[in-house]
């Protein structure tokens, strides 16, 4: 029991200091306050800013590390979705993302943040459970498809990633949307 409490306190500590884990905390704040412009950012930083903006509009707290971990999950999902050619590729991606201990998450948690996978997923789960749905942009939720499906944060990451790809390219990848519908089913 004592070890479990200490572990949970560790997750809470990690989750309360996002600036320790991601330099985009300061850049996002600077962008919001107009101190830097998109022209001051690299293409990758702009993608991260756009992802953080979407997460904030979905009610995710910008003061918690889990939001920034989640940003990287979404960006990695975007990269993977852009490589999909067949339905099997999509099934493989979903299977990989469903496994908390897959290489997909290991690369982000261990290689980018140097933290354990359990802490990584715990932080994301905490922000997902505590996001402020009252502040969420309902129009954006509908555009992303979050009102059409019942998904966990992993499925939500795929929907957000697909939305961002669609928005960037101005054309929807109907194959991915079809596979998402098939996997999660539409809400009635």
């Amino acid at each position: 029991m004592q070890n479990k409490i200490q572990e949970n306190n560790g997750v809470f500590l990690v989750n309360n200091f996002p600036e320790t884990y991601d330099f985009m905390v300061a850049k996002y704040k600077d962008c919001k306050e107009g101190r830097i412009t998109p022209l001051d950012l690299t293409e990758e930083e702009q993608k991260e800013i756009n992802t953080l903006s979407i997460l904030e509009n979905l009610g995710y707290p910008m003061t918690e590390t889990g939001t920034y971990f989640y940003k990287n999950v979404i960006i990695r999902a975007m990269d993977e979705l852009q490589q999909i050619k067949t339905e099997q590729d999509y099934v493989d991606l979903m299977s990989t993302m469903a496994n908390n201990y897959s290489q997909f998450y290991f690369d982000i948690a261990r290689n980018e943040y140097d933290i354990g996978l359990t802490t990584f997923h715990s932080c994301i789960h905490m922000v997902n459970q505590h996001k402020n749905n009252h502040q969420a942009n309902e129009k954006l939720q509908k555009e992303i498809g979050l009102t059409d499906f019942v998904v966990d944060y992993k499925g939500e990451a795929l929907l957000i990633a697909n939305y961002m790809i669609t928005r960037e390219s101005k054309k929807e990848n109907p194959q991915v949307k079809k596979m998402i519908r098939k996997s999660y089913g539409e809400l009635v």
Side-chain angles (χ1 to χ4, degrees):
M1 181 75 163
Q2 187 76 14
N3 288 339
K4 188 69 172 170
I5 293 170
Q6 289 175 343
E7 180 180 297
N8 287 342
N9 284 339
V11 170
F12 285 112
L13 284 172
V14 168
N15 207 38
N16 286 324
F17 296 101
E19 58 280 348
T20 304
Y21 294 92
D22 201 320
F23 72 94
M24 289 307 293
V25 175
K27 286 206 178 204
Y28 184 69
K29 186 177 179 182
D30 287 344
C31 278
K32 281 186 63 173
E33 294 173 358
R35 287 192 292 267
I36 60 175
T37 67
L39 298 174
D40 300 324
L41 302 169
T42 67
E43 188 175 320
E44 189 61 32
E45 289 172 334
Q46 186 60 51
K47 187 189 300 185
E48 291 184 50
I49 295 293
N50 291 342
T51 306
L52 288 170
S53 178
I54 287 170
L55 289 175
E56 184 173 31
N57 281 307
L58 292 174
Y60 281 88
M62 303 315 291
T63 58
E64 295 186 32
T65 308
T67 300
Y68 297 88
F69 290 168
Y70 195 41
K71 162 198 55 111
N72 282 9
V73 170
I74 292 166
I75 289 172
R76 176 82 186 268
M78 285 176 63
D79 294 342
E80 296 291 325
L81 282 172
Q82 290 174 323
Q83 304 303 314
I84 286 181
K85 302 281 188 255
T86 67
E87 189 168 340
Q88 185 59 46
D89 292 340
Y90 180 75
V91 169
D92 292 345
L93 175 60
M94 283 189 60
S95 176
T96 297
M97 288 184 70
N99 178 357
N100 284 354
Y101 300 99
S102 69
Q103 193 67 39
F104 180 93
Y105 296 113
F106 183 86
D107 287 341
I108 299 169
R110 297 298 295 165
N111 298 340
E112 291 182 33
Y113 291 112
D114 197 25
I115 65 164
L117 288 167
T118 301
T119 301
F120 178 79
H121 284 290
S122 293
C123 287
I124 295 172
H125 182 73
M126 281 177 20
V127 297
N128 185 266
Q129 293 299 307
H130 298 113
K131 66 184 172 187
N132 189 340
N133 288 319
H134 299 294
Q135 291 182 351
N137 180 325
E138 290 179 22
K139 182 179 180 222
L140 178 61
Q141 287 178 319
K142 189 173 180 115
E143 286 176 20
I144 292 172
L146 298 176
T147 57
D148 298 336
F149 306 102
V150 176
V151 293
D152 60 3
Y153 70 85
K154 298 165 191 172
E156 183 180 278
L158 282 171
L159 289 169
I160 294 169
N162 188 56
Y163 168 78
M164 291 183 68
I165 292 167
T166 301
R167 199 175 79 178
E168 281 179 9
S169 67
K170 299 293 186 215
K171 65 177 185 173
E172 185 171 325
N173 183 340
Q175 186 71 353
V176 170
K177 197 71 154 184
K178 177 181 161 192
M179 290 181 273
I180 292 171
R181 286 192 199 303
K182 185 176 177 182
S183 299
Y184 290 106
E186 292 189 56
L187 292 177
V188 178

Coordinates of all heavy atoms in Angstrom, one line a residue, residues 1 3 27-28 50 58-59 62 67-70 73 90 103 110 131 146 154 178 183 185 187:
M1 N 0.8 -1.2 0.0 CA 0.0 0.0 0.0 C 0.9 1.3 0.0 O 0.6 2.2 -0.7 CB -0.9 0.0 1.2 CG -1.8 1.1 1.3 SD -3.2 0.9 0.1 CE -4.3 2.1 0.7
N3 N 3.9 1.6 -1.2 CA 4.6 1.8 -2.5 C 3.6 2.4 -3.5 O 3.9 3.2 -4.3 CB 5.1 0.5 -3.0 CG 6.4 0.1 -2.2 OD1 7.0 1.0 -1.6 ND2 6.7 -1.2 -2.3
K27 N 6.9 27.9 -25.4 CA 6.6 28.4 -26.8 C 5.1 28.5 -27.0 O 4.7 29.5 -27.7 CB 7.2 27.4 -27.8 CG 8.7 27.6 -27.9 CD 9.2 27.2 -29.2 CE 10.7 27.4 -29.2 NZ 11.3 27.6 -30.5
Y28 N 4.3 27.6 -26.5 CA 2.9 27.7 -26.7 C 2.3 28.9 -26.0 O 1.5 29.7 -26.5 CB 2.2 26.4 -26.2 CG 0.7 26.5 -26.4 CD1 0.2 26.4 -27.7 CD2 -0.2 26.6 -25.4 CE1 -1.2 26.4 -28.0 CE2 -1.6 26.6 -25.6 CZ -2.1 26.5 -26.9 OH -3.4 26.5 -27.2
N50 N -0.1 23.7 -33.2 CA -1.4 23.4 -33.7 C -2.1 22.3 -32.9 O -3.3 22.4 -32.5 CB -1.4 23.0 -35.1 CG -1.0 24.2 -36.0 OD1 -1.1 25.4 -35.6 ND2 -0.6 23.9 -37.2
L58 N -10.2 21.4 -26.8 CA -11.0 20.2 -26.4 C -11.1 20.1 -24.9 O -11.7 19.1 -24.3 CB -10.4 18.9 -26.9 CG -10.5 18.8 -28.5 CD1 -9.7 17.6 -28.9 CD2 -11.9 18.7 -28.9
G59 N -10.6 21.1 -24.1 CA -10.7 21.1 -22.7 C -9.5 20.6 -21.9 O -9.6 20.4 -20.7
M62 N -3.6 23.0 -19.9 CA -2.3 23.3 -20.5 C -1.2 23.4 -19.4 O 0.0 23.6 -19.7 CB -2.3 24.6 -21.3 CG -3.3 24.6 -22.4 SD -3.3 23.1 -23.4 CE -1.8 23.2 -24.3
T67 N -0.9 16.5 -21.0 CA -1.3 17.1 -22.2 C -0.2 17.2 -23.2 O -0.4 16.9 -24.4 CB -1.8 18.5 -21.9 OG1 -2.9 18.4 -21.0 CG2 -2.3 19.2 -23.2
Y68 N 1.0 17.4 -22.7 CA 2.2 17.5 -23.6 C 2.7 16.1 -24.1 O 3.1 16.0 -25.2 CB 3.3 18.3 -23.0 CG 2.8 19.7 -22.7 CD1 2.2 20.1 -21.6 CD2 3.0 20.7 -23.7 CE1 1.7 21.4 -21.4 CE2 2.5 22.0 -23.5 CZ 1.8 22.3 -22.4 OH 1.3 23.6 -22.2
F69 N 2.5 15.1 -23.2 CA 2.8 13.8 -23.6 C 1.8 13.4 -24.7 O 2.2 12.8 -25.7 CB 2.7 12.8 -22.4 CG 3.8 12.9 -21.4 CD1 3.6 12.3 -20.2 CD2 4.9 13.7 -21.6 CE1 4.6 12.3 -19.2 CE2 5.9 13.7 -20.6 CZ 5.7 13.1 -19.4
Y70 N 0.5 13.7 -24.5 CA -0.5 13.4 -25.4 C -0.3 14.0 -26.8 O -0.6 13.4 -27.8 CB -1.9 13.7 -24.8 CG -3.1 13.1 -25.5 CD1 -3.1 11.8 -25.9 CD2 -4.2 13.9 -25.7 CE1 -4.2 11.2 -26.5 CE2 -5.3 13.3 -26.3 CZ -5.3 12.0 -26.7 OH -6.4 11.4 -27.2
V73 N 1.9 11.8 -28.7 CA 1.2 10.7 -29.2 C 0.4 11.0 -30.5 O 0.4 10.3 -31.5 CB 0.2 10.1 -28.1 CG1 -0.7 9.0 -28.7 CG2 1.0 9.6 -26.9
Y90 N -3.7 -0.1 -41.1 CA -4.5 0.6 -40.1 C -4.8 -0.3 -38.9 O -4.6 0.1 -37.8 CB -5.8 1.2 -40.7 CG -6.6 1.9 -39.6 CD1 -6.3 3.2 -39.2 CD2 -7.7 1.3 -39.0 CE1 -7.0 3.8 -38.2 CE2 -8.4 1.9 -38.0 CZ -8.1 3.2 -37.6 OH -8.8 3.8 -36.7
Q103 N 6.2 -0.5 -29.0 CA 7.4 0.3 -29.4 C 6.9 1.8 -29.7 O 7.6 2.7 -29.5 CB 8.0 -0.2 -30.7 CG 9.4 0.4 -31.0 CD 10.4 0.1 -30.0 OE1 10.5 -1.1 -29.4 NE2 11.3 1.0 -29.6
R110 N 10.3 6.7 -23.4 CA 11.7 6.4 -23.0 C 12.7 7.3 -23.8 O 13.6 7.8 -23.2 CB 12.0 4.9 -23.1 CG 11.2 4.0 -22.2 CD 11.4 4.3 -20.8 NE 12.7 4.0 -20.3 CZ 13.2 4.3 -19.2 NH1 12.5 5.0 -18.4 NH2 14.5 4.0 -18.9
K131 N -10.2 16.4 -18.2 CA -10.3 17.6 -19.1 C -11.7 18.2 -18.8 O -12.6 17.6 -18.3 CB -10.2 17.1 -20.5 CG -11.2 16.2 -21.0 CD -11.0 15.8 -22.4 CE -11.9 14.7 -22.8 NZ -11.6 14.1 -24.1
L146 N -15.5 13.3 -32.5 CA -15.5 12.8 -31.1 C -16.9 12.7 -30.6 O -17.1 12.0 -29.6 CB -14.7 13.8 -30.2 CG -13.2 13.9 -30.5 CD1 -12.6 15.0 -29.6 CD2 -12.5 12.6 -30.4
K154 N -6.6 6.7 -26.7 CA -5.8 6.2 -27.8 C -6.6 6.3 -29.1 O -6.1 6.8 -30.1 CB -5.4 4.7 -27.6 CG -4.5 4.6 -26.3 CD -4.4 3.2 -25.9 CE -3.8 3.1 -24.5 NZ -3.8 1.7 -24.0
K178 N -13.2 5.5 -42.8 CA -14.0 4.3 -42.9 C -13.5 3.3 -41.9 O -14.3 2.6 -41.2 CB -13.8 3.7 -44.3 CG -14.5 2.4 -44.6 CD -14.3 2.0 -46.0 CE -14.6 0.5 -46.1 NZ -14.1 0.0 -47.4
S183 N -14.0 0.3 -36.8 CA -13.4 -0.1 -35.5 C -14.2 0.3 -34.3 O -14.3 -0.5 -33.4 CB -12.0 0.5 -35.4 OG -11.2 0.0 -36.5
G185 N -17.4 2.1 -34.5 CA -18.9 2.1 -34.7 C -19.4 3.5 -34.4 O -18.8 4.2 -33.6
L187 N -22.0 6.3 -33.1 CA -23.0 6.5 -32.0 C -24.4 6.7 -32.6 O -24.5 7.3 -33.7 CB -22.7 7.7 -31.1 CG -21.5 7.5 -30.2 CD1 -21.3 8.8 -29.4 CD2 -21.6 6.4 -29.3

